Amino acid sequence: MKQSEFKKRRKHLINRIGVGNIALISSASMRTRNRDVDYPFRQDSDFFYLTGFNEPDALAVFIPGREQGEYILFCREFDEKKALWEGAHAGLEGATKHFEADDAFPIDDLDDILPGLLENKMKVFYPMGRNRELDANLLEWINHIRNQSRSGVIAPTELISIDVIVHEMRLFKSTTELKLMRQAAEVSANGHVKAMQACKPGLYEYQVEAELIYHFNQNGLRNVAYPSIVATGKNACTLHYTENNAKLKDGDLLLIDAGAECDHYAADITRTFPVSGRFTEPQKQLYQLVLNAQLAALEQIKPGLLWNQAHDASVEVLTKGLVELGLLKGKINKLIKDEKYKQFYMHRIGHWLGMDVHDVGDYKINQEWRILEPGMVLTVEPGLYIPANCKTVEAKWRGIGIRIEDDILVTATGHEVLTAGVPKSIQEIEALMQGQ
Ligand code: GLY
Ligand code: MN
Ligand code: MN
């Protein structure tokens, strides 16, 4: 992504903070996996959104109206030995030259420099409660200034969550962001197609997972946006199943919930299909019901409609269908009011999607469901999960778990399905799996 995009975001943030105030945002840290091995580094999404800087041990500071420059980056100094062992890092020079910070200071000097930057500022915007070290340091720095009040300096008086500003910005995707999201969606959709084509009885769930990862990596997307769920048979009823070690059996379904990350932007797709390429009759009936619920929900995704309308549409279709198939008994309205569908559909219709798979952004404003607007991206993912030990339904339904999930962009006139590249009708899935 071009620096100009990050610069535009910083400018917007700086305008929102206002002169006389300051904002701080910290990078993610390296985390040890075991002894000398670290978990792969993933930058904090807010920090990356504003800086494009992909290193740990960094802190960005924004001071509207500061004469020497409004954007300061604290980061690791360039260290030749570190470069030899761990590879490139920007250093102070790189921070100003390549990442367009107005000033760069060593992160090791934070305690000496930051109190001075906080002096005489009224409000401090920061990711409140999300980084214990920053929370604690900030209070220390403020106390340090207070202790010098006799010399005339004033300590900040208001601590404000920066999320309110940054997360609202992140909710609306720019053209550049949508390009990355489209790429994540397209590669992920193709990965699902490959997985469907490779699937057959006798394979293990992890072997199907390998097809997805292979495809993501082959296309340059080396990170998954979240651990892939590859769940056959009743495993699909565990919403966050990630063991992925069971054998696929003829007659069972396979649910795959997987998405790649493209330059920090996520895709999130779920498809459910028969291991052997043909749905059984009960599978077909439940699958079509979930698909009908998804299509009904999608009709509710357009500007001006409320966030929860898609969920309500899915609940209505699923409840009605469950009564028709005999899994629920009673009056539709009462079953909905009493939330009886929740024993089989226990999650909501979806979530915002962006740099985080469950992306930031409020779902309610002033306690009212939010209105959909162009540029928002969300998932639509109804499901039905019939527990294997559910005594209240006929045996033929038990142990079936189905979810269908697509990534949707709200456009000026309606919506665009970013993940349309992977089939979801019964006919299309069966045709693909049988090589037609
Ligand atoms: N993959 C997580 C979700 O669908 O929300
Ligand atoms: Mn999702
Ligand atoms: Mn998902």
Side-chain angles (χ1 to χ4, degrees):
M1 198 180 285
K2 285 203 191 101
Q3 269 303 317
S4 57
E5 175 100 2
F6 297 110
K7 199 169 183 168
K8 205 158 49 179
R9 296 169 185 172
R10 290 195 292 267
K11 191 157 182 265
H12 186 92
L13 173 70
I14 285 165
N15 282 339
R16 290 291 309 276
I17 297 164
V19 174
N21 304 317
I22 184 170
L24 314 176
I25 188 142
S26 45
S27 72
S29 308
M30 291 301 292
R31 286 204 294 138
T32 306
R33 182 174 181 274
N34 56 324
R35 275 186 68 91
D36 294 337
V37 181
D38 290 325
Y39 282 104
F41 178 71
R42 168 55 160 79
Q43 187 57 284
D44 176 84
S45 297
D46 288 340
F47 183 87
F48 192 83
Y49 181 80
L50 292 166
T51 63
F53 193 71
N54 205 14
E55 294 183 25
D57 301 324
L59 180 86
V61 181
F62 304 99
I63 308 180
R66 179 175 175 264
E67 254 174 44
Q68 310 90 307
E70 297 176 306
Y71 168 35
I72 302 164
L73 193 57
F74 288 84
C75 63
R76 301 175 303 185
E77 286 184 274
F78 186 78
D79 175 341
E80 234 161 78
K81 199 162 148 215
K82 199 176 190 63
L84 182 67
W85 284 80
E86 294 172 25
H89 51 287
L92 305 184
E93 203 184 309
T96 50
K97 203 161 144 191
H98 303 305
F99 295 92
E100 302 189 5
D102 297 310
D103 264 332
F105 299 115
I107 190 77
D108 291 337
D109 294 350
L110 202 54
D111 286 332
D112 297 330
I113 299 174
L114 212 64
L117 298 176
L118 288 166
E119 275 177 14
N120 303 323
K121 306 295 184 302
M122 298 307 292
K123 299 177 185 173
V124 185
F125 294 81
Y126 76 112
M128 190 181 278
R130 282 198 286 116
N131 180 327
R132 275 171 195 273
E133 200 182 336
L134 182 64
D135 287 344
N137 284 346
L138 184 57
L139 297 183
E140 289 241 337
W141 296 324
I142 289 175
N143 272 334
H144 180 86
I145 305 170
R146 281 190 184 142
N147 291 339
Q148 295 171 346
S149 62
R150 278 185 298 282
S151 69
V153 290
I154 298 171
T157 51
E158 279 185 63
L159 301 183
I160 300 176
S161 169
I162 198 170
D163 301 2
V164 184
I165 303 174
V166 178
H167 292 180
E168 192 65 15
M169 290 167 71
R170 279 178 52 192
L171 179 56
F172 295 89
K173 274 67 181 178
S174 70
T175 312
T176 316
E177 290 180 291
L178 287 174
K179 205 169 151 208
L180 297 173
M181 292 198 74
R182 282 202 171 87
Q183 200 182 335
E186 192 184 317
V187 171
S188 302
N190 290 338
H192 276 261
V193 169
K194 299 276 186 215
M196 277 185 195
Q197 286 170 326
C199 180
K200 58 181 184 203
L203 289 182
Y204 284 83
E205 290 166 342
Y206 50 74
Q207 290 176 299
V208 182
E209 182 182 16
E211 291 291 330
L212 291 154
I213 308 245
Y214 179 79
H215 184 78
F216 297 168
N217 278 15
Q218 280 292 343
N219 286 278
L221 308 192
R222 288 193 51 227
N223 293 313
V224 283
Y226 54 91
S228 306
I229 298 167
V230 182
T232 193
K234 65 177 171 38
N235 295 342
C237 297
T238 304
L239 294 183
H240 288 164
Y241 174 84
T242 49
E243 273 102 349
N244 298 0
N245 59 5
K247 199 169 181 174
L248 312 186
K249 288 204 309 266
D250 190 4
D252 277 349
L253 291 175
L254 180 65
L255 179 153
I256 301 182
D257 183 345
E261 193 175 80
C262 177
D263 207 357
H264 299 87
Y265 287 84
D268 182 8
I269 304 178
T270 307
R271 287 294 184 267
T272 311
F273 50 92
V275 165
S276 57
R278 265 201 199 288
F279 288 89
T280 65
E281 208 44 45
Q283 289 167 353
K284 215 179 236 181
Q285 288 177 308
L286 280 186
Y287 184 89
Q288 191 59 48
L289 177 53
V290 176
L291 185 55
N292 291 347
Q294 204 222 21
L295 298 175
L298 283 172
E299 280 181 29
Q300 302 301 316
I301 307 293
K302 51 182 148 189
L305 299 191
L306 299 175
W307 160 262
N308 70 320
Q309 284 179 240
H311 181 71
D312 291 349
S314 71
V315 165
E316 203 176 314
V317 172
L318 288 176
T319 305
K320 222 162 145 188
L322 287 168
V323 170
E324 278 165 19
L325 296 176
L327 285 97
L328 284 180
K329 290 179 186 65
K331 290 234 169 347
I332 314 276
N333 285 349
K334 176 132 172 62
L335 291 169
I336 292 177
K337 190 161 154 272
D338 295 343
E339 300 185 333
K340 292 291 184 201
Y341 58 87
K342 276 198 175 170
Q343 52 184 310
F344 305 125
Y345 176 38
M346 58 294 281
H347 56 76
R348 292 194 57 86
I349 190 71
H351 47 83
W352 304 129
L353 182 73
M355 298 183 80
D356 296 311
V357 63
H358 289 179
D359 207 29
V360 294
D362 288 333
Y363 292 91
K364 281 190 170 181
I365 292 187
N366 295 330
Q367 293 175 31
E368 300 289 343
W369 290 111
R370 169 162 216 152
I371 292 172
L372 298 177
E373 294 176 59
M376 294 172 165
V377 180
L378 49 96
T379 67
V380 173
E381 50 176 307
L384 280 177
Y385 315 89
I386 320 298
N389 60 0
C390 184
K391 296 284 175 338
T392 62
V393 302
E394 283 178 72
K396 64 178 179 182
W397 307 119
R398 292 179 200 155
I400 296 181
I402 297 167
R403 178 163 64 255
I404 305 171
E405 175 174 32
D406 281 303
D407 302 346
I408 317 296
L409 164 68
V410 182
T411 62
T413 51
H415 68 254
E416 179 188 337
V417 181
L418 302 178
T419 46
V422 48
K424 62 182 173 187
S425 76
I426 290 175
Q427 202 185 12
E428 284 170 329
I429 289 176
E430 290 189 342
L432 177 76
M433 294 189 69
Q434 285 153 30
Q436 290 164 18

